[in-house]
Amino acid sequence: MSEQSVLVTGAAGFIGRHVARACLNAGYRVSTVDLTSPPFDLRRDTTVHTCSFDDPAILHAVDAGQFTAVVHLGAISSTVEENWQALEQTNIVGPAALAERCERSGTRFVYASSSSVYGEITDRRPLPETALGSSACSGPLNAYARSKALFDTLMTNRFDVDGGAGWAGLRFTNVFGTGERHKKSMASIIGQLLLATARQEPLTLFADTLEACRDYVPVATVAQTCVLMADPAAPSGIYNLGSGHATSFAELLRWCSDFTETPLTVQLVPNPHTGRYQYWTCADMSALDSSLPTRPRPGPAELRRAAHELYLHFKDTNNRS
């Protein structure tokens, strides 16, 4: 694999830096691109491009076949962003230009979609990829989710799943792990709760969400799956990428209490996102299990262990600061 190279966009971001490192560990030569510089270890070990992923020089390099695969993670990821023009350019038009260059040069194209495209789920059951557009879910509840759904549709309609190096869209659920503190309010809720617990600060939740559930997936699982999907021999199409397990906020509070072994202070506040809030998410992982049988599959015990490791990371960081 030493002659193979991967371009990771959004490499300065939370998931991007983990994916870039996982690609390096798998033996790829890695180039990174982002508007800001990635962490020091990636600046040391990768070829760094500080620019937009749709910069003409980047598109030219992809068009010229300089990469075996492009793992596209650059995006506007804020679920409260309302500037549709910016969302359309960054989450649809720009990625389409990248995908077109990949198709022309025979470069594998893997990109981040989102489970937010499903919106409100009618019944509390894991949703397969085909549920979008059916009565099983409402569809996108915000502009960010709409941009992701539209790009999924564009990829499905415009690009062949059977030809060339192919492509894959991965609908991430709630990804958590180290390296997302810079996202602040946009960081995963599980990360926010674990950080507050490690700092012995009050934990804040919306009052109507204690029994709400999320499908949480460790960032290491996402990174390893992206590496597997970067292989041109991997299957094409759109796939859910979560753990396939729904964990309630009440259960997260129990974890936090167990980890800290001290009483928690929990503040319940009104939910300002009523009507645009997903109260239950869980991915049906059957399609990915069938198409990528070697992928990592964290179960409930592994999820709790990953949460505990993140808590210990926050606690250690807090003690050293």
Side-chain angles (χ1 to χ4, degrees), residues 1-320:
M1 190 180 290
S2 60
E3 74 283 3
Q4 295 186 322
S5 61
V6 174
L7 175 68
V8 179
T9 76
F14 164 47
I15 298 175
R17 64 185 65 180
H18 284 273
V19 170
R21 176 50 58 185
C23 287
L24 285 166
N25 292 342
Y28 283 103
R29 288 183 291 109
V30 178
S31 294
T32 61
V33 60
D34 209 322
L35 294 174
T36 58
S37 295
F40 170 76
D41 65 311
L42 293 181
R43 296 199 301 272
R44 179 192 62 205
D45 298 337
T46 72
T47 301
V48 177
H49 302 277
T50 307
C51 58
S52 173
F53 62 80
D54 58 354
D55 183 277
I58 297 297
L59 295 179
H60 176 74
V62 174
D63 208 11
Q66 293 186 16
F67 308 104
T68 306
V70 171
V71 181
H72 175 54
L73 304 168
I76 293 176
S77 59
S78 172
T79 58
V80 297
E81 177 61 63
E82 295 183 350
N83 184 336
W84 178 250
Q85 185 176 7
L87 282 165
E88 184 177 39
Q89 178 60 42
T90 304
N91 290 3
I92 302 174
V93 177
L98 198 55
E100 288 168 358
R101 270 49 170 208
C102 284
E103 183 184 47
R104 277 208 303 252
S105 60
T107 303
R108 176 78 173 173
F109 181 61
V110 180
Y111 72 93
S113 183
S114 170
S115 64
S116 66
V117 300
Y118 298 115
E120 184 179 356
I121 297 173
T122 305
D123 299 313
R124 290 197 164 200
R125 60 181 180 82
L127 285 188
E129 295 81 356
T130 54
L132 187 61
S134 74
S135 61
C137 62
S138 68
L141 296 175
N142 55 54
Y144 162 77
R146 180 183 168 216
S147 72
K148 288 296 186 179
L150 286 173
F151 188 66
D152 284 351
T153 300
L154 181 151
M155 289 298 300
T156 302
N157 292 341
R158 186 179 298 183
F159 298 98
D160 190 355
V161 296
D162 297 321
W167 60 273
L170 301 173
R171 287 176 176 164
F172 299 162
T173 58
N174 294 79
V175 186
F176 71 97
T178 58
E180 63 167 339
R181 287 174 62 175
H182 66 282
K183 296 174 63 177
K184 298 182 180 179
S185 65
M186 286 293 109
S188 64
I189 184 62
I190 185 173
Q192 293 183 54
L193 292 174
L194 291 169
L195 177 61
T197 302
R199 289 176 167 175
Q200 297 185 323
E201 297 173 348
L203 280 62
T204 302
L205 284 174
F206 296 143
D208 61 350
T209 62
L210 283 178
E211 294 307 316
C213 293
R214 288 282 184 274
D215 183 331
Y216 298 102
V217 60
V219 70
T221 297
V222 170
Q224 291 161 22
T225 304
C226 285
V227 171
L228 293 173
M229 273 297 185
D231 187 335
S236 292
I238 295 173
Y239 296 91
N240 290 332
L241 179 47
S243 68
H245 304 284
T247 304
S248 70
F249 286 111
E251 181 66 12
L252 290 186
L253 292 180
R254 282 189 284 270
W255 290 1
C256 290
S257 179
D258 291 344
F259 297 161
T260 189
E261 298 180 341
T262 58
L264 299 176
T265 300
V266 180
Q267 298 176 340
L268 299 179
V269 300
N271 186 345
H273 307 297
T274 301
R276 296 182 296 155
Y277 191 86
Q278 288 180 291
Y279 289 90
W280 198 87
T281 65
C282 189
D284 183 327
M285 297 303 301
S286 301
L288 197 59
D289 287 344
S290 175
S291 298
L292 207 64
T294 60
R295 77 169 187 90
R297 306 181 190 185
E302 287 80 14
L303 293 176
R304 190 182 189 280
R305 184 159 50 248
H308 189 213
E309 290 173 357
L310 184 57
Y311 163 77
L312 293 175
H313 168 78
F314 286 147
K315 187 175 180 181
D316 179 62
T317 302
N318 187 59
N319 289 339
R320 288 190 282 109

